[in-house]
Amino acid sequence: MLLHVRLSGWACWCLFSGVFSVFSLQQRLTVSLNGKWRLSNSNGSLLLPAQVPGCVHSALQQQGYITDPYFRFNDVSYRWIALDNWTYTTTFTLSADVKQKVLLVFDGVDTVGSISLNGIAVGKTYNMFCRHDFSVKDLLKDGENVLQVGLLSPILYASEQRKAHTSYAVPPECPPDVQKGECHVNFIRKEQSSFSWDWGPSFPTMGLWKGVRLEAFDISENLHDAFSQWTVQVELLIDAVQTARGQLTLSIPELDSEQTFQTHFNPGKTKSNFTILINTVQVKLWWPNGHGEQPFYRLTIRGFQDEFLIFKYLPQVYFRTVELIQEPVAGSPGLSFYFRINGKPIFLKGSNWIPVHSFQDQVTPGVLKNLLQSAVDANMNALRVWGGGVYEQDLFYEICDELGIMVWQDFMFACAMYPTETDFIQTVREEVVQQVQRLKSHPSIIIWSGNNENEAALATDWFNIPASQRPKYIRDYVMLYVDNIKKLVQEDQSRPFLVSSPTNGAESEQEGWVAENPYDPHYGDVHFYSYILDCWDWRTFPRTRFASEYGFQSWPSFSTLQPVSIKEDWSYGSNFTSHRQHHEDGNQQMILQAALHFHLPNATDPLKRFTDTLYITQVMQAQCVKTQTEFYRRSRSEIIEGKGHTMGALYWQLNDIWQAPSWSSIEFGGKWKMLHYFAQSFFAAVFPVAFEEDDTLVIYAISDLSRDLKLRAVVNVFSWTELDPVCTLNSSMLLVPGGSAVVVFKQPVATLLAGCGNCTRLTCLLTFQLEDDSSQQGPTNHHFLCSPKDAQGLGRPNITVKKKTCFSVTLHSDSVAPFVWLDVGNIPGRFSSNGFLMVSRNRTVDFNAWRPTSVAELTASLTITSLRDIY
């Protein structure tokens, strides 16, 4: 646990990255069982090599039994795989020099497994998220040993568990038909989205998805560390086979702190805490991205026995505090909802994280690093690890620690009710204890959340539960998330816990944990989606305290779809585009939303019409999420009609699990959609936002900085036909306090246009920026005075490549060009800017390649599209 210390009336903690295990160097033997195993199905008709860690689908593909599971309709064609039972087998040789205790350790079994060693049953597994270890010393042979793991079909197991639950239904029974998924995922503790979701396929995986090993020892010592800003506590978990005495020395040389302890452990499992006093209060703090650095210290942990050093460990130590502030707000009913890191209120800017791949063994370090760096490059400081996927691997959290990405960590329960039988509750308790123990030392994790949308599901009756039965489901809800998960998580004193998301937080607790309206904007966090209302109209958005989910769909690029499709699939009305869409009416909703403001593609060439349609969905998505995010950012400092003080905007979603339409800003494979380029601007630390109210243009200056600024708004009015401004307006210089949103410009649109020649709403548009006395501060923004489809004078810009040098491209345009999109096909990388409004004759854009390429290859692959090119 993390020691919770109060000093001068406030609480602080110190954290280091990594729960770890160490063993006596002289007395420890570790045998990795990773590598090549044998895999067979239930009737023995398939027998093939299989890598561990890995899964059945990956093994079948690697050995040529199946093609790419993501190709066309293979998610349905390969349903048979998860309906079968599979067995993993390996042999290993062990010498006679075996220690007093030997554990067979599985870091992750997916999911329902029966384990045998040399033909003798060792144990069973029922939870994908649990580490399992079994004492096997008496079962080992001197020489060859045979280890088998039999895995049951997760689909059939979940169905059997549902049938056995006869007392009452536990909804939902099945996913919507459009998801083409499997039923009863809430009856099995595995990745919920593996049975399908509205953004992903149904691939109910099976396998040994994490490492397998033997650990042989005489004394095992597992250390789990926890600290305060002024003291450091090390929690030592001992599983000793005999009485053990020794010394434990803890030191942080950089803080001039060291302490030695005499240790004595009896046989069996014991837990001891050791505390080292920090000799200074002046420690370097870990800060979120954009607010400071992410420094760490080295803690030296040394264990001695009979004056011999038997282990030494050097974990990283981070210091930071986090508070979730829920308190009365002046001029508003309800409570605030914001995070204070190291005493500073922080506006959370970011997105939601879903599983990176259907098959976790195919998630490489490079993929994780690229996605997380892409988040930081878009000025994000937070990600929410969504509760229907997996607890991410250690590397994910280590990178977040290093990059300053705050993590909102859900427990893996989503959009469902769950059984509360003793066996189910017990495996959940083991899961929670293990995951909290594994992850609690990461400073990046700032909050635990019990589930995704389950309070809302109960409160708003997603599952049509009769009123007479509702108390039963509420009791189950409280039993699972409050009486069990919440109580277990409370041992971690270094971060807050929310029972659900969305939730009214403290108000939900007062209402018995299920609020009458968990979407109440006066409390907690809100999830909000509306695909039919005009997304350019900011009045349709809730002025909430914290927006933890919102978004719009788009299609990925053609270069992302092409490898998993064929020519007959390349039309918006094809069977493929319908099959790939797992959100009801999603394809139509995108087109209807786009048609509110844009002409739709009308090319006669079928392929061009298809690629233009992909483009316009990305334009629509980018502009919609931009508008909504800007609304949340400008609402941070004001209360209007009792609502406001918004302190978080996490759009849905960052990444994709496969090549399909979704809410993501990054495509499967890492390519940035237009939305992600837009996020670079709308999440900038200093940024101007414009909107209209009662035909008056209002511009806010938004600053996340700690220092105050003096800024003016500079507004340029352009004609759609000209590349020189018709006129320029400047506001007076105004004070913009750090961490605020301030109005810096306000003028009726009619007055503004009257002073700009012959401009009308239809013939002109605006760009605007913030400046101090010497330079521009933050990016330039734009504001359309009419829908682009109604714009008069918007012509084909005839954009050409004027010059190419290395990986830079200089573009030339004859006229104003909105949503200029550069694409280099399947060459991985990103541009310095993309999807931009071009209001200059020339503009230079750089390309950052993620693999070796050449100017010739880039030139051959480069295409340029602007809005006027699609109709």
Side-chain angles (χ1 to χ4, degrees):
M1 62 184 279
L2 297 175
L3 183 64
H4 181 192
V5 174
R6 292 201 175 270
L7 183 65
S8 302
W10 62 295
C12 296
W13 300 267
C14 164
L15 307 96
F16 76 88
S17 73
V19 174
F20 59 94
S21 300
V22 294
F23 300 89
S24 163
L25 297 180
Q26 290 87 359
Q27 300 173 338
R28 172 195 178 204
L29 173 67
T30 297
V31 178
S32 173
L33 300 180
N34 293 344
K36 186 175 289 186
W37 290 45
R38 298 188 305 280
L39 177 65
S40 59
N41 64 342
S42 57
N43 64 10
S45 60
L46 290 175
L47 180 63
L48 59 147
Q51 282 295 126
V52 171
C55 71
V56 173
H57 289 81
S58 293
L60 290 170
Q61 183 183 2
Q62 289 160 6
Q63 297 303 317
Y65 287 90
I66 62 173
T67 58
D68 182 356
Y70 285 170
F71 186 72
R72 300 196 77 210
F73 312 103
N74 280 350
D75 54 318
V76 173
S77 300
Y78 294 155
R79 185 170 179 258
W80 60 269
I81 297 170
L83 289 169
D84 205 346
N85 301 329
W86 296 84
T87 300
Y88 279 81
T89 305
T90 191
T91 58
F92 60 92
T93 302
L94 202 63
S95 70
D97 183 23
V98 175
K99 304 301 180 182
Q100 295 182 39
K101 187 163 188 173
V102 182
L103 294 179
L104 175 60
V105 180
F106 293 86
D107 285 327
V109 177
D110 181 13
T111 290
V112 183
S114 299
I115 300 163
S116 66
L117 179 60
N118 296 321
I120 300 173
V122 170
K124 294 181 180 294
T125 66
Y126 298 96
N127 192 319
M128 177 182 182
F129 307 122
C130 284
R131 174 184 181 270
H132 299 86
D133 57 64
F134 307 96
S135 182
V136 295
K137 179 179 183 299
D138 295 337
L139 303 181
L140 290 167
K141 297 178 181 178
D142 182 11
E144 188 174 86
N145 293 265
V146 179
L147 175 62
Q148 280 195 332
V149 181
L151 298 172
L152 296 181
S153 161
I155 300 171
L156 299 181
Y157 174 83
S159 178
E160 289 302 315
Q161 293 300 112
R162 166 63 184 92
K163 291 175 184 176
H165 193 280
T166 57
S167 53
Y168 57 95
V170 183
E173 294 288 334
C174 299
D177 291 343
V178 69
Q179 293 182 17
K180 307 162 189 70
E182 305 295 348
C183 301
H184 314 304
V185 70
N186 48 342
F187 279 88
I188 182 171
R189 289 308 297 147
K190 74 180 270 88
E191 178 186 338
Q192 304 290 273
S193 59
S194 68
F195 275 42
S196 79
W197 217 262
D198 56 5
W199 38 255
S202 175
F203 285 113
T205 49
M206 290 172 284
L208 304 178
W209 74 295
K210 293 188 176 184
V212 184
R213 64 188 177 278
L214 285 171
E215 293 178 352
F217 50 90
D218 293 329
I219 304 173
S220 73
E221 306 180 37
N222 297 304
L223 288 81
H224 305 283
D225 308 273
F227 312 102
S228 160
Q229 186 171 353
W230 302 277
T231 66
V232 174
Q233 181 173 317
V234 174
E235 183 181 88
L236 185 61
L237 301 179
I238 295 293
D239 185 5
V241 295
Q242 61 187 21
T243 300
R245 291 181 176 85
Q247 288 182 333
L248 184 71
T249 298
L250 311 176
S251 64
I252 304 179
E254 194 174 349
L255 297 178
D256 192 28
S257 303
E258 179 172 310
Q259 201 155 347
T260 298
F261 305 89
Q262 300 299 318
T263 61
H264 177 90
F265 302 106
N266 293 318
K269 293 184 178 181
T270 59
K271 180 172 72 173
S272 300
N273 293 316
F274 303 92
T275 302
I276 173 176
L277 299 178
I278 301 301
N279 293 328
T280 176
V281 296
Q282 298 299 319
V283 298
K284 295 177 289 186
L285 299 176
W286 181 94
W287 286 97
N289 177 43
H291 294 273
E293 301 300 318
Q294 296 78 42
F296 62 86
Y297 296 88
R298 285 290 181 186
L299 170 66
T300 300
I301 303 174
R302 292 175 292 168
F304 298 89
Q305 197 169 36
D306 297 327
E307 299 185 356
F308 289 99
L309 178 68
I310 60 172
F311 66 81
K312 181 178 180 179
Y313 194 72
L314 300 170
Q316 294 180 358
V317 176
Y318 295 89
F319 292 85
R320 70 102 178 93
T321 68
V322 57
E323 303 162 89
L324 175 58
I325 307 302
Q326 299 181 82
E327 60 188 15
V329 178
S332 172
L335 300 171
S336 65
F337 189 94
Y338 67 92
F339 291 90
R340 200 154 58 195
I341 309 296
N342 302 327
K344 177 184 178 181
I346 302 288
F347 190 106
L348 268 64
K349 304 178 298 186
S351 190
N352 285 261
W353 178 277
I354 67 165
V356 176
H357 204 290
S358 292
F359 313 118
Q360 284 291 312
D361 57 291
Q362 298 186 36
V363 180
T364 66
V367 168
L368 284 181
K369 290 174 183 177
N370 185 50
L371 285 170
L372 293 172
Q373 187 62 56
S374 291
V376 168
D377 289 347
N379 293 309
M380 296 183 184
N381 62 23
L383 292 172
R384 174 172 171 255
V385 178
W386 170 75
V390 297
Y391 306 96
E392 280 298 333
Q393 56 184 272
D394 292 343
L395 181 61
F396 170 89
Y397 301 98
E398 291 166 7
I399 297 171
C400 289
D401 293 343
E402 295 168 5
L403 296 180
I405 300 173
M406 294 176 285
V407 175
W408 174 314
Q409 179 66 56
D410 280 1
F411 286 94
M412 295 300 119
F413 302 87
C415 302
M417 303 295 100
Y418 290 86
T420 55
E421 281 77 9
T422 302
D423 288 348
F424 189 88
I425 292 292
Q426 183 56 42
T427 193
V428 167
R429 289 179 64 87
E430 292 173 5
E431 169 188 328
V432 171
V433 168
Q434 288 189 21
Q435 295 300 334
V436 171
Q437 195 173 73
R438 178 173 74 96
L439 300 175
K440 67 182 179 181
S441 294
H442 289 283
S444 53
I445 300 177
I446 63 166
I447 189 168
W448 302 108
S449 179
N451 65 73
N452 173 76
E453 297 184 346
N454 294 346
E455 178 186 348
L458 265 178
T460 59
D461 197 21
W462 288 11
F463 306 123
N464 300 312
I465 297 171
S468 61
Q469 296 182 25
R470 193 166 182 268
K472 179 190 308 177
Y473 291 91
I474 293 177
R475 283 195 300 270
D476 281 356
Y477 180 90
V478 173
M479 178 189 295
L480 178 57
Y481 302 112
V482 180
D483 297 343
N484 284 280
I485 295 177
K486 182 175 185 291
K487 286 186 177 179
L488 291 171
V489 175
Q490 281 175 335
E491 283 197 26
D492 175 16
Q493 295 284 307
S494 71
R495 51 183 62 83
F497 174 82
L498 280 176
V499 172
S500 188
S501 174
T503 183
N504 290 349
E507 174 61 21
S508 288
E509 180 176 356
Q510 292 297 312
E511 295 183 41
W513 303 104
V514 178
E516 182 179 357
N517 175 22
Y519 298 98
D520 190 335
H522 299 97
Y523 301 93
D525 67 314
V526 166
H527 298 184
F528 177 80
Y529 297 94
S530 175
Y531 308 113
I532 305 302
L533 298 176
D534 182 359
C535 76
W536 286 29
D537 184 359
W538 58 268
R539 298 168 188 83
T540 65
F541 308 135
R543 197 182 297 270
T544 176
R545 306 291 195 215
F546 194 106
S548 52
E549 278 193 31
Y550 60 97
F552 296 84
Q553 280 197 324
S554 71
W555 274 84
S557 305
F558 181 68
S559 61
T560 296
L561 291 172
Q562 189 174 12
V564 293
S565 59
I566 61 176
K567 185 176 180 179
E568 70 182 65
D569 300 329
W570 300 337
S571 70
Y572 204 68
S574 70
N575 290 336
F576 174 79
T577 55
S578 175
H579 178 84
R580 220 67 171 183
Q581 175 60 265
H582 284 195
H583 168 61
E584 193 72 50
D585 298 325
N587 288 344
Q588 183 182 16
Q589 288 170 356
M590 281 184 274
I591 293 302
L592 291 175
Q593 185 65 237
L596 294 176
H597 298 285
F598 304 108
H599 289 292
L600 297 179
N602 61 2
T604 55
D605 177 70
L607 180 58
K608 177 171 170 38
R609 187 164 186 165
F610 180 58
T611 57
D612 287 349
T613 302
L614 304 180
Y615 164 84
I616 201 63
T617 67
Q618 290 205 20
V619 170
M620 175 275 296
Q621 179 197 35
Q623 191 71 17
C624 287
V625 177
K626 171 184 183 290
T627 304
Q628 193 164 358
T629 305
E630 290 178 348
F631 170 73
Y632 293 137
R633 291 200 69 188
R634 67 179 168 85
S635 298
R636 69 174 293 167
S637 300
E638 61 189 10
I639 296 292
I640 296 178
E641 297 178 351
K643 301 172 186 175
H645 280 195
T646 306
M647 285 297 287
L650 307 178
Y651 65 75
W652 186 270
Q653 64 206 65
L654 181 75
N655 56 304
D656 263 337
I657 197 170
W658 70 333
Q659 308 91 331
S662 80
W663 295 256
S664 76
S665 63
I666 301 178
E667 300 174 8
F668 182 81
K671 190 170 188 173
W672 288 22
K673 289 183 177 178
M674 193 178 295
L675 169 57
H676 208 76
Y677 286 100
F678 273 41
Q680 272 190 306
S681 293
F682 64 61
F683 280 147
V686 178
F687 185 56
V689 168
F691 67 100
E692 290 185 42
E693 186 169 28
D694 299 327
D695 290 322
T696 295
L697 178 71
V698 183
I699 298 177
Y700 279 68
I702 298 166
S703 173
D704 289 332
L705 303 180
S706 298
R707 66 182 187 277
D708 296 346
L709 300 172
K710 286 189 175 180
L711 300 172
R712 71 168 64 90
V714 179
V715 181
N716 289 299
V717 183
F718 286 88
S719 164
W720 286 107
T721 60
E722 299 291 337
L723 285 168
D724 295 313
V726 178
C727 65
T728 299
L729 298 87
N730 293 278
S731 73
S732 56
M733 196 73 75
L734 292 173
L735 176 68
V736 180
S740 71
V742 176
V743 175
V744 292
F745 183 95
K746 189 172 184 178
Q747 190 173 107
V749 174
T751 303
L752 185 155
L753 293 177
C756 286
N758 296 319
C759 267
T760 68
R761 281 187 173 274
L762 299 181
T763 61
C764 292
L765 70 152
L766 311 177
T767 69
F768 54 97
Q769 63 209 47
L770 299 172
E771 295 181 357
D772 60 15
D773 283 333
S774 59
S775 62
Q776 180 173 334
Q777 297 296 309
T780 300
N781 204 345
H782 65 262
H783 179 72
F784 297 128
L785 296 171
C786 69
S787 295
K789 70 177 183 180
D790 299 322
Q792 295 178 2
L794 174 58
R796 295 189 186 276
N798 300 315
I799 298 175
T800 57
V801 177
K802 183 177 180 182
K803 186 170 120 179
K804 295 186 287 291
T805 58
C806 295
F807 292 168
S808 294
V809 177
T810 299
L811 305 177
H812 176 79
S813 180
D814 292 341
S815 61
V816 171
F819 306 107
V820 177
W821 184 248
L822 284 71
D823 194 296
V824 288
N826 60 7
I827 302 174
R830 68 175 180 85
F831 290 93
S832 56
S833 181
N834 214 347
F836 48 81
L837 172 68
M838 193 164 177
V839 290
S840 60
R841 288 173 178 80
N842 302 302
R843 179 162 180 162
T844 299
V845 179
D846 299 327
F847 181 75
N848 177 25
W850 296 338
R851 67 157 171 82
T853 185
S854 65
V855 172
E857 183 184 24
L858 289 171
T859 300
S861 302
L862 178 65
T863 60
I864 303 168
T865 306
S866 71
L867 186 63
R868 190 61 185 82
D869 296 322
I870 69 168
Y871 63 91

